[in-house]
């Protein structure tokens, strides 16, 4: 293995809290899509739309998570805000008894807010970096 080029900043590895948040968001997005398709087949497209609608912000956060490796602190703050808003959507889905929505998005949104609020996540997103 070769050393770093002179003048290059040291390579930082993504902290476990950011990796975990990324995995939670992407796995949950997959589960939401699979659940929506399954419920759409069984109960019709309106029920599938309810599942997608009650978890829409989680899908947005999952798409943002693909940029966690090279984005700045604004992406972290946006993800925290969207996940916090998703908590309220999930509570509404639980109250309305939406099939396939509510409890899983609620728990994962709380996990995302917790993981992205840690100091190691802040340090990762505020590091000096070169956009990829």
């Amino acid at each position: 293995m070769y050393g770093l080029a002179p003048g290059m900043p040291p390579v930082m590895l993504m902290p476990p809290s950011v990796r975990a948040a990324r995995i939670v968001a992407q796995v949950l997005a997959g589960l939401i899509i699979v659940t929506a398709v399954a419920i759409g087949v069984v109960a019709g497209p309106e029920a599938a739309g309810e599942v997608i609608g009650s978890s829409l912000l989680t899908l947005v956060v999952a798409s943002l998570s693909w940029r966690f490796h090279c984005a700045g602190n604004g992406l972290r703050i946006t993800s925290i805000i969207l996940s916090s808003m998703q908590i309220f959507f999930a509570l509404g889905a639980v109250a309305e008894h939406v099939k396939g929505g509510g409890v899983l998005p609620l728990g994962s949104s709380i996990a995302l807010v917790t993981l992205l609020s840690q100091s190691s996540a802040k340090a990762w997103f505020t590091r000096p970096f070169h956009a990829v």
Side-chain angles (χ1 to χ4, degrees):
M1 299 225 22
Y2 297 101
L4 292 174
M8 292 295 296
V11 177
M12 289 181 61
L13 295 176
M14 188 181 293
S17 62
V18 178
R19 276 190 303 222
R22 189 177 186 176
I23 291 168
V24 166
Q26 292 171 359
V27 167
L28 182 64
L31 288 174
I32 289 168
I33 292 170
V34 168
T35 302
V37 169
I39 287 178
V41 168
V42 173
E46 187 174 318
E50 288 178 355
V51 172
I52 295 292
S54 67
S55 304
L56 187 61
L57 295 177
T58 301
L59 295 174
V60 173
V61 171
S63 67
L64 292 176
S65 72
W66 289 99
R67 300 291 295 171
F68 281 3
H69 69 283
C70 64
N73 198 36
L75 184 71
R76 180 184 75 92
I77 293 170
T78 301
S79 298
I80 290 171
I81 290 170
L82 291 175
S83 294
S84 299
M85 291 171 57
Q86 178 61 44
I87 291 170
F88 293 112
F89 283 4
L91 287 172
V94 168
E96 292 292 325
H97 303 292
V98 173
K99 296 177 183 128
V103 176
L104 187 60
L106 175 65
S108 62
S109 295
I110 292 171
L112 285 171
V113 170
T114 304
L115 290 167
L116 292 174
S117 297
Q118 293 181 1
S119 61
S120 61
K122 183 177 181 180
W124 172 257
F125 285 102
T126 57
R127 76 194 187 285
F129 62 93
H130 301 286
V132 177

